[in-house]
Amino acid sequence: MTSSRTPDSPETKYQRVMLKISGEALMGDQGFGLHPPTVQRIAQEVKSVHDLGVEICMVIGGGNIFRGLSGAAQGMERTTADYMGMLATVMNALAMQAALESLGVFTRVISAIPMDQVCEPYIRRRAVRHLEKKRVCIFAAGTGNPYFTTDTAATLRANEMGCQAIFKGTKVDGVYDKDPVKFPDAKRYEVVSYDDVLAKRLGVMDASAIALARDNNLPIIVFSLDEPGGFRGILAGRGTYTTVCG
């Protein structure tokens, strides 16, 4: 279900988008936790797109606080570890909410695990209504189930909300054939197919998320979150990025 309203600015063709970022993106130069200036900078990027009239969904990972898979690798029972990771995403979502609302952007944190004292439970129709009212919706606690990543949660929510694209903010400006940090001769794709991402294990998102996006013809745009103004620029078709599509 997509809103019938169009963006207030002709600068972008997108009406409703999902922004997926990792929990590590909120760490800044720290090795753990939240770096408030970095959270504020990302919030400014989101506000700049919100000011265009674009309806924004967000999913933030929890790896800066706790990663379920890492906990399981150290001997913790996987289901428990994954639930702890889901709670970490709620903490990140609340931090981003505080930063956005300090900038005057109305926001709702919507959790797949009910915790009514701090955020709303996930109800699809209510979430769609928040978007239509130009509130940023931050979806937390993944899908509410263990064994699913926040990449899959972002793709699921993007489909449920009728988003036109997923914007995956990373530390690099697109998808490369190999790690550009380790290999100076790495080549960036302008466009790459879902099937190539899966076959070549390009690491854009996990396989479940890519398959879900492919099955619903939902493009994934991979860009650098570290580039000032990059999110808004790419929405307008400028800048450097990779599009994953059919």
Side-chain angles (χ1 to χ4, degrees), residues 3 8-9 11 25 27 34 40 45 47 49 53 56 61 97 105 114-115 137 210 216-217 226 239:
S3 168
D8 299 332
S9 167
E11 186 175 337
M27 292 192 308
L34 291 158
Q40 198 70 25
E45 294 281 325
K47 181 181 185 300
V49 171
I56 303 172
Q97 179 183 46
V105 178
M115 47 186 82
C137 287
I210 295 295
N216 292 278
N217 198 29
D226 293 336

Side-chain angles (χ1 to χ4, degrees), residues 62-75:
N64 57 319
I65 299 171
F66 188 87
R67 186 179 293 279
L69 200 57
S70 297
Q74 296 176 38

